[in-house]
Amino acid sequence: MADQPNQSQPWERTVEVPRQEVPLGPAPFRRGVAQVGPRPAPTESFPAAHEHEPTGTGWPGAPDPHQPRMPLSYHMRQLRLGSEWSIVGGLFAFVCWGIWAISARGDLTSPVVTFVLTLFVAAGVFGLSRLLGRVVLERQLGRVRRTAKGAHLATGVFLVGVGIAYLRQTEWVMGIWNWFAALF
């Protein structure tokens, strides 16, 4: 039992390492001494002040000219993701506009111009939402946008609001709404 190590304190165990012989030839290095080669002769004492050495960094935030640009089909596919929100809002606004335009019983020129202007404003809401997303999400927060769902959602909400505004201008729809609201 004398050969057994003390198990109560395993960190105090000592292991004997056999001694290795060092070769007598030249050592590949010596501690504390660095090998320094001869300095090359300078060709010019001072570099010219007008020479420019490109570093490859470019302007901050500029696109990398060596990185390939994404094709137009990629950007169009990115804009289509989330378009169901704009389509549903547009269909709702169109149906509500149709109810309002038919109820007016007159020339349809003014209602058609009104609806076309509404669609232009909806396109502006979409563009403004994309611009705000680019500034806030990409530039300020450093996130990458892979879809246009937020912009389509904002446009869809705008178009639903426009549809409700068309219905509120229709006398018989508001009469039904007021009758229904009086029941409760």
Side-chain angles (χ1 to χ4, degrees):
M1 291 215 55
D3 293 350
Q4 297 254 342
N6 185 359
Q7 295 294 331
S8 64
Q9 296 178 347
W11 57 86
E12 292 184 8
R13 186 172 175 201
T14 306
V15 178
E16 290 289 328
V17 178
R19 188 176 172 108
Q20 296 178 345
E21 292 193 28
V22 179
L24 296 175
F29 65 91
R30 291 186 307 180
R31 180 172 290 191
V33 178
Q35 294 202 4
V36 179
R39 290 187 177 180
T43 56
E44 186 178 324
S45 60
F46 295 103
H50 58 81
E51 291 182 15
H52 172 71
E53 294 182 20
T55 59
T57 58
W59 289 99
D64 185 11
H66 302 294
Q67 185 178 4
R69 290 181 55 108
M70 299 302 287
L72 181 62
S73 61
Y74 170 78
H75 293 291
M76 294 307 291
R77 186 171 46 248
Q78 184 185 25
L79 286 177
R80 277 190 221 112
L81 294 175
S83 63
E84 60 272 2
W85 293 104
S86 292
I87 291 171
V88 167
L91 287 175
F92 182 77
F94 179 73
V95 169
C96 295
W97 169 82
I99 292 170
W100 172 73
I102 291 172
S103 297
R105 291 196 178 124
D107 187 25
L108 288 180
T109 305
S110 178
V112 168
V113 169
T114 303
F115 189 69
V116 169
L117 287 175
T118 300
L119 293 179
F120 278 130
V121 172
V125 167
F126 180 79
L128 183 63
S129 299
R130 290 293 290 174
L131 179 66
L132 284 174
R134 181 178 180 97
V135 169
V136 172
L137 290 177
E138 289 184 354
R139 298 249 171 108
Q140 298 296 323
L141 299 177
R143 295 188 53 199
V144 176
R145 295 181 303 169
R146 292 184 174 84
T147 64
K149 288 182 181 178
H152 281 297
L153 181 62
T155 306
V157 168
F158 169 76
L159 288 171
V160 166
V162 166
I164 291 171
Y166 282 136
L167 288 179
R168 291 188 65 165
Q169 293 178 9
T170 308
E171 185 178 336
W172 64 269
V173 171
M174 289 308 296
I176 292 173
W177 177 262
N178 291 333
W179 174 80
F180 188 71
L183 292 176
F184 298 103

